[in-house]
Amino acid sequence: MAGVQTAVALREQGWTGGVAMLGAEPHQPYDRPPLSKAVLLGKADGSAFEIDFAALGIELLLGRRVTAVRPGEHVVETAAGPVPYDRLVIATGADPVTLPGGGAPGLHLLRTLDDAEALRPVLAARQDVVVVGAGWIGAEFATAALEAGCTVTVVEAAERPLAGALPAEVAEPMRAWYEESGARLITGARVATVEPGAVLLADGTRLPADAVLVGIGARPATGWLAGSGIELCPDGSVRADDRLRSSAPDVYAVGDCASFPSARYGERLLVHHWDNALQGPRTVAADIIGGAAEAQVYDPVPYFWSEQFGRFVQYAGHHAAADTTVRRGDPAGASWSVCWLRDGVLVALLAVGRPRDLAQGRKLIERGARIDPERAADPAVPLKSAVL
């Protein structure tokens, strides 16, 4: 997504020079969200972008894994030989975290089109499936597997689902979603080993498993930058500035592989979500071209959504530094929201089945609006009407 949108944005903003996209995969560039939904369930054969790259003068160099970059020489290395550049945009995304000693038969990831294709027969056969990780991707895959008729068990090392994404008091009510949908959720459990036909937990529990999906997070795909001199953060992300420029001249980084300083939140953000890969390329293209938008820094309100267990979950903002939490509605119900405030200003919002809250809240976060907590706590009051 980030690479495609950068190439397209360059053309839309008037870049007349050559544009080449290098990608390790042989497939035409594709979108990822359908992989855990329509593609996985066999409702779509793929999710290729409907873009005429040839008409836009964008050269696709597919099946060309970049192995190194030499910024001083303006060259990237590939197995097929060196490729020179005037400007380089790193959009390598993130690599999924695997289980120690991974590679056991029946062990799957869900990050690429090939991953989704490999999982389709599993779902079609209605097998016993174990999902390791109760995060966003684990919940989405469990949802698809249940829809396909599989028996699903989800194993989570933390004591609740979405432990790395949401506070305990917000995530805990989501535990019930699994059982209500027919999945078994085991928390506080670690995988000892994956055997043919089974997953063995650290406490000795043996779970039948024709297939195992591992969804325990992802890390920026930046290992190939070792020795390049391009600065990385401790989390492995490219340390980009507020225009998504790296520490090397003429080298940018965008999407899951890059972190950026947010003046809005007062910290550096690493955002592994689709909307970040959509928005960032416009800043990169504008800075490369040097047009009127050059002065605009990249400081978005992060946004993502997830479809899981019959619910549409949306999140906007960044709640880490919030000092007040405001609930809108009963989390045991079908629709509810949570607002996070910092010094009375709305900084983040989670909406479950309340898209209007999200739409209004996202705009209020962008404005830095102050919110009346009492009015915001009444789900019957439109969020925009709670502004002070």
Side-chain angles (χ1 to χ4, degrees):
M1 183 62 166
V4 167
Q5 290 300 324
T6 300
V8 171
L10 282 166
R11 289 301 188 221
E12 288 178 344
Q13 295 184 31
W15 179 260
T16 58
V19 177
M21 289 183 59
L22 288 83
E25 295 183 66
H27 311 292
Q28 287 285 307
Y30 59 87
D31 205 6
R32 293 189 190 277
L35 299 185
S36 62
K37 305 172 184 71
V39 174
L40 190 61
L41 290 169
K43 297 178 181 179
D45 291 328
S47 57
F49 290 107
E50 295 182 0
I51 296 172
D52 191 336
F53 292 100
L56 290 173
I58 298 171
E59 182 182 10
L60 297 180
L61 302 176
L62 305 177
R64 298 277 292 273
R65 180 180 296 277
V66 176
T67 56
V69 57
R70 301 197 302 273
E73 301 170 49
H74 280 55
V75 166
V76 293
E77 291 288 352
T78 77
V83 178
Y85 66 84
D86 295 308
R87 303 287 191 277
L88 174 66
V89 180
I90 300 170
T92 46
D95 292 324
V97 177
T98 58
L99 291 174
L107 200 61
H108 296 264
L109 300 170
L110 182 51
R111 185 75 182 181
T112 68
L113 179 58
D114 289 340
D115 291 339
E117 293 289 353
L119 280 162
R120 282 170 68 162
V122 172
L123 270 60
R126 300 184 177 183
Q127 297 181 323
D128 289 330
V129 174
V130 170
V131 181
V132 182
W136 301 114
I137 192 65
E140 291 187 4
F141 177 78
T143 299
L146 289 167
E147 183 178 337
C150 297
T151 300
V152 178
T153 301
V154 181
V155 177
E156 170 57 50
E159 296 299 327
R160 62 183 186 280
L162 293 169
L166 297 172
E169 66 273 14
V170 175
E172 185 59 35
M174 298 175 175
R175 178 190 298 272
W177 297 359
Y178 289 78
E179 184 176 352
E180 291 170 2
S181 300
R184 179 187 180 191
L185 174 63
I186 305 174
T187 56
R190 294 189 176 275
V191 173
T193 186
V194 177
E195 306 171 348
V199 170
L200 184 65
L201 302 184
D203 66 359
T205 301
R206 185 181 179 87
L207 303 173
D210 297 305
V212 181
L213 184 283
V214 179
I216 53 176
R219 297 193 180 104
T222 55
W224 63 281
L225 293 172
S228 69
I230 294 173
E231 186 178 358
L232 303 182
C233 294
D235 58 17
S237 63
V238 176
R239 181 179 288 274
D241 68 7
D242 58 10
R243 290 174 179 80
L244 299 179
R245 298 173 295 199
S246 79
S247 61
D250 303 323
V251 178
Y252 297 76
V254 66
D256 289 4
C257 67
S259 60
F260 55 90
S262 171
R264 185 191 308 276
Y265 292 107
E267 61 181 285
R268 177 167 288 272
L269 299 182
L270 174 59
V271 181
H272 280 188
H273 293 299
W274 185 91
D275 192 66
N276 180 50
L278 173 69
Q279 304 293 342
R282 298 167 188 167
T283 294
V284 170
D287 197 81
I288 289 175
I289 294 171
E294 182 183 11
Q296 296 181 5
V297 301
Y298 188 62
D299 195 5
V301 173
Y303 166 75
F304 74 91
W305 77 96
S306 176
E307 296 175 72
Q308 53 182 271
F309 307 118
R311 294 167 171 84
F312 186 45
V313 183
Q314 296 172 283
Y315 178 96
H318 182 64
H319 66 267
D323 53 39
T324 303
T325 302
V326 179
R327 292 188 176 277
R328 287 170 59 80
D330 183 358
S335 62
W336 48 275
S337 297
V338 176
C339 300
W340 285 275
L341 312 181
R342 184 180 63 205
D343 297 328
V345 175
L346 182 66
V347 294
L349 182 138
L350 173 75
V352 177
R354 290 181 68 92
R356 183 172 297 178
D357 277 5
L358 190 287
Q360 293 181 11
R362 191 177 183 182
K363 293 177 181 177
L364 296 177
I365 295 169
E366 289 173 348
R367 284 169 42 193
R370 297 183 64 82
I371 300 293
D372 179 345
E374 291 188 9
R375 287 183 60 76
D378 185 347
V381 174
L383 202 55
K384 62 183 180 181
S385 299
V387 176
L388 292 171

